Amino acid sequence: MHRISRTASFVAGLVLGVGALAATASASADGGGVPRSDILRAPLQGSQLSDPPLFGLTRGGAPWVISEGTARLRANGDLRVEVEGLVIPTTGVNPVPRLSATVACNGVALPPTATVPFSTTGDAVIEAHVSLPPRCLAPAVLLDPNGNAAVYIAATGR
């Protein structure tokens, strides 16, 4: 009986060790030595007329609401933004045909991504790579109507 529990302990330790090693290896680098870990994974909120300027961008000229939206930024600069139902509540539609994203690091807005199609129901997916500074403190993502990097209609936060 004592021999079985010692063997079981050894096997359990081996499984845990291999699992930890595999997790460390997959999270440690993308081939270029840059960690692939998330530096931001946050929900999106539509802008309101009372919202302040953020990182030099001003809120849109109408209030916006969102059914669901998330932004994920990885340490290697990979960005994925998913938006569902980002519309102006008084009309229930999105009048903007294209959407881009602006990432801010260290209190400074970076150049916006290329624009993507933005449906009248307020749905869009942005997949882009952004050049991040060596350290990206307090990252945020803002959504720009028609690629207008001076205006945001949604931002990460609660």
Side-chain angles (χ1 to χ4, degrees):
M1 180 100 158
H2 182 67
R3 184 177 191 114
I4 292 173
S5 65
R6 211 186 263 179
T7 302
S9 294
F10 174 76
V11 170
L14 183 63
V15 168
L16 288 174
V18 169
L21 182 61
T24 301
S26 67
S28 68
D30 64 354
V34 177
R36 290 183 43 94
S37 60
D38 293 345
I39 60 172
L40 175 70
R41 185 182 284 211
L44 291 161
Q45 296 296 315
S47 66
Q48 300 298 303
L49 294 177
S50 59
D51 287 348
L54 298 173
F55 313 106
L57 284 75
T58 57
R59 49 101 181 114
W64 290 79
V65 296
I66 190 168
S67 296
E68 190 173 339
T70 57
R72 179 181 183 188
L73 178 63
R74 301 193 96 170
N76 67 357
D78 288 343
L79 174 67
R80 181 171 175 86
V81 179
E82 297 180 41
V83 179
E84 291 181 20
L86 180 57
V87 297
I88 296 174
T90 55
T91 63
V93 298
N94 160 40
V96 178
R98 311 258 331 148
L99 187 69
S100 65
T102 295
V103 171
C105 288
N106 310 326
V108 177
L110 304 176
T113 66
T115 62
V116 298
F118 191 22
S119 74
T120 57
T121 57
D123 301 341
V125 174
I126 298 171
E127 290 185 342
H129 182 81
V130 295
S131 294
L132 298 176
R135 283 180 48 99
C136 181
L137 301 176
V141 175
L142 296 90
L143 301 184
D144 316 312
N146 290 324
N148 183 349
V151 176
Y152 71 93
I153 58 174
T156 52
R158 290 189 184 258

